[in-house]
Amino acid sequence: MTRSPAKPSPKPSQRDLFQLDSPLTGEIRGERSLMAFPFFALSKNAWMKPLSYEHANVSIEVRPSANGVATIYDKEIVLYIASLMAAKIEAGEDVAQDFVFTAHDLFSVTGANHSARSYARLSEALERLQGTQIKTNIEAGGEGEEGFFSWLSEARLHYSKTRTGERRLKAVKVRLCDWLHRAILRDRQVLDYAAAYFQLGPIERRIYEVARATADGEGRVEADLATFRLQVGYQNPLANFRTAMKAIAGTDGIPDYQVELVEEAADAGTGGGGAGRGRRAAPVRVVITPRPPEPAESHNESLAESGESPAHDNADQSAATA
């Protein structure tokens, strides 16, 4: 009996080799403590100095790697991973600490372009996230930790090669640190982000995060300027922060929130102690309140100007085509 030659086994696909956790199906979300406190440098470039935060009962110490401290832009990767994790929890899936995703989906979610430079920045960001050392007394999942940890205990870029020898990035594999994994899995203190977050500058991002994570029952945040500067993680002098906050309040570009600086009446004795010293600046408080909802008429007018249909018209059209 003649046997036909055995068929070669099919070549494993990328999904067979890497069980991808992307694409992200839900919203971008972050863990509340990471939103409330300054764990990342407010810089686009390498920040080589240690960061520290001491206020009330919270302490944070951040040490740079040879490539610097992880920045607020590197944090986008942590938010993306946290969002993948939150989506898996909601779907009732088992959630380990390892995540595999495509750079393409990460860039699409965060609004980055898909240029060669973006891929190079991704590699640099992963190195900083793995190399930055963090120490904090903030408990996660009912447990505290002594000593330092890194955001990612493992970070790898998996490539394939074309016939011409060109490298093609297939997947990114990371292992999330125990501390953040416990916080998301057990505490479930995860909040969604406005889509416009990724278009904000470093200080604006932190203002939004602090407001989102620490607002009271009415969505209001109020603090003196010096305390708010610490919570934002601004490293330059208070006078510089005051100038920056005035500009941000004037621009009024924080998603979902309005920022106001309120000058308090100076005490009678706050003038200069002697000639030539001048008068001290009046104390300033930062007041952040939820942005009032846009009136329906104004919203429809804006849609009309942009050529879009009001929401109820879209709903009617969807029903008609169903």
Side-chain angles (χ1 to χ4, degrees):
M1 180 178 179
T2 304
R3 294 184 179 180
S4 58
K7 294 182 179 180
S9 58
K11 189 176 181 180
S13 66
Q14 178 173 321
R15 180 167 290 277
D16 294 326
L17 294 173
F18 305 105
Q19 291 297 322
L20 293 174
D21 296 301
S22 59
L24 177 64
T25 56
E27 297 175 304
I28 278 289
R29 283 170 283 189
E31 197 277 328
R32 186 184 291 270
S33 294
L34 249 61
M35 299 175 81
F37 300 108
F39 285 96
F40 296 84
L42 301 185
S43 173
K44 279 190 174 181
N45 303 316
W47 183 270
M48 304 306 298
K49 299 177 183 178
L51 305 177
S52 62
Y53 175 84
E54 294 277 350
H55 185 70
N57 298 321
V58 175
S59 68
I60 298 170
E61 182 180 352
V62 183
R63 293 180 180 177
S65 67
N67 300 312
V69 170
T71 72
I72 193 72
Y73 293 96
D74 301 338
K75 186 178 183 176
E76 293 178 358
I77 300 173
V78 177
L79 294 179
Y80 178 79
I81 296 167
S83 304
L84 291 174
M85 184 172 174
K88 295 182 78 170
I89 292 172
E90 288 183 351
E93 301 177 19
D94 293 333
V95 182
Q97 289 176 247
D98 293 331
F99 293 87
V100 182
F101 56 89
T102 64
H104 183 278
D105 190 55
L106 169 67
F107 296 158
S108 297
V109 169
T110 59
N113 60 45
H114 299 262
S115 66
R117 181 57 185 144
S118 291
Y119 285 90
R121 286 173 178 163
L122 171 60
S123 179
E124 295 165 2
L126 290 171
E127 288 185 14
R128 283 190 293 268
L129 290 170
Q130 189 175 13
T132 297
Q133 297 287 297
I134 307 100
K135 183 178 182 181
T136 181
N137 66 352
I138 300 174
E139 295 183 354
E143 298 180 24
E145 288 190 10
E146 290 288 341
F148 288 83
F149 63 87
S150 298
W151 296 119
L152 304 177
S153 57
E154 180 181 325
R156 297 181 183 180
L157 299 174
H158 290 270
Y159 290 93
S160 63
K161 281 192 175 182
T162 65
R163 292 180 179 178
T164 60
E166 182 183 0
R167 292 201 310 175
R168 295 284 179 86
L169 180 60
K170 297 179 67 175
V172 182
K173 182 178 180 181
V174 299
R175 177 166 295 171
L176 193 61
C177 64
D178 294 343
W179 183 85
L180 186 52
H181 184 265
R182 283 200 316 272
I184 297 172
L185 185 63
R186 300 182 189 175
D187 296 336
R188 305 292 176 93
Q189 294 292 307
V190 179
L191 302 174
D192 61 286
Y193 275 66
Y197 170 83
F198 297 108
Q199 281 73 57
L200 300 176
I203 303 174
E204 290 90 337
R205 290 187 181 202
R206 285 296 299 138
I207 293 172
Y208 171 81
E209 289 184 317
V210 171
R212 186 78 180 88
T214 65
D216 60 21
E218 297 179 352
R220 179 185 177 94
V221 175
E222 185 170 349
D224 65 85
L225 189 66
T227 299
F228 193 71
R229 169 179 166 270
L230 291 176
Q231 196 161 9
V232 166
Y234 189 83
Q235 296 296 307
N236 292 326
L238 183 61
N240 295 37
F241 184 59
R242 179 172 179 165
T243 300
M245 287 296 297
K246 280 187 175 180
I248 291 169
T251 304
D252 192 26
I254 306 297
D256 304 330
Y257 296 96
Q258 293 179 322
V259 179
E260 182 182 7
L261 297 188
V262 180
E263 290 193 2
E264 300 176 334
D267 295 335
T270 58
R277 289 191 179 183
R279 183 177 297 277
R280 296 180 187 175
V284 175
R285 296 190 69 77
V286 178
V287 178
I288 303 176
T289 53
R291 188 179 299 279
E294 186 178 1
E297 292 182 1
S298 299
H299 178 65
N300 290 342
E301 288 176 3
S302 298
L303 290 176
E305 291 175 1
S306 64
E308 299 180 21
S309 301
H312 61 84
D313 289 342
N314 290 337
D316 292 342
Q317 292 170 11
S318 299
T321 56

